Amino acid sequence: RGDETEVAGIKFPGLWLNQLPHDCFSPDGKHILLSTQWGSVTKVVLISLGNGAVAPINFDLLSDEGFHDKASQQFVCFTEDGGAIVTQSEANHPTICGLLHPSSYHNALSI
């Protein structure tokens, strides 16, 4: 699933990870949030456990523009209220850590 989704002009290549992260299941039990290689960068993706749909989580911790397709971004863990702790790194900026509100990733999939 996720065949039509693109990041930096590249369609979803499948999951590239050795194992699922320890805390990757959403608090509501309906999604998995994890990091995977997508082209030359690492991206955070949301996977529906209901229908297998896959969507990148579009965010930019350095600006309000909403999406940075050349930055590497990683999921770290969920907060108690369902927020997601993430990191973002770029060639010209040190790695930063941020918090995504649940609505910012739940809207990624139309399920």
Side-chain angles (χ1 to χ4, degrees):
R1 308 269 315 196
D3 297 334
E4 300 305 315
T5 306
E6 291 187 10
V7 170
I10 300 172
K11 291 187 179 188
F12 181 63
L15 294 177
W16 295 89
L17 61 144
N18 292 326
Q19 63 187 28
L20 290 175
H22 173 69
D23 187 22
C24 66
F25 291 88
S26 63
D28 64 8
K30 296 180 180 180
H31 304 96
I32 296 174
L33 198 62
L34 52 81
S35 307
T36 186
Q37 281 301 122
W38 196 319
S40 62
V41 294
T42 303
K43 289 295 170 191
V44 177
V45 296
L46 181 69
I47 302 170
S48 167
L49 294 176
N51 65 7
V54 177
I57 304 303
N58 298 324
F59 65 91
D60 187 347
L61 297 177
L62 294 174
S63 77
D64 293 330
E65 295 179 21
F67 183 53
H68 193 316
D69 64 356
K70 293 184 174 65
S72 282
Q73 300 166 325
Q74 294 206 44
F75 168 72
V76 178
C77 65
F78 282 106
T79 61
E80 287 184 12
D81 65 353
I85 304 294
V86 295
T87 64
Q88 178 173 311
S89 59
E90 302 174 51
N92 60 350
H93 198 279
T95 300
I96 57 175
C97 186
L99 172 66
L100 299 180
H101 189 271
S103 64
S104 64
Y105 63 85
H106 278 285
N107 295 333
L109 294 174
S110 300
I111 55 176

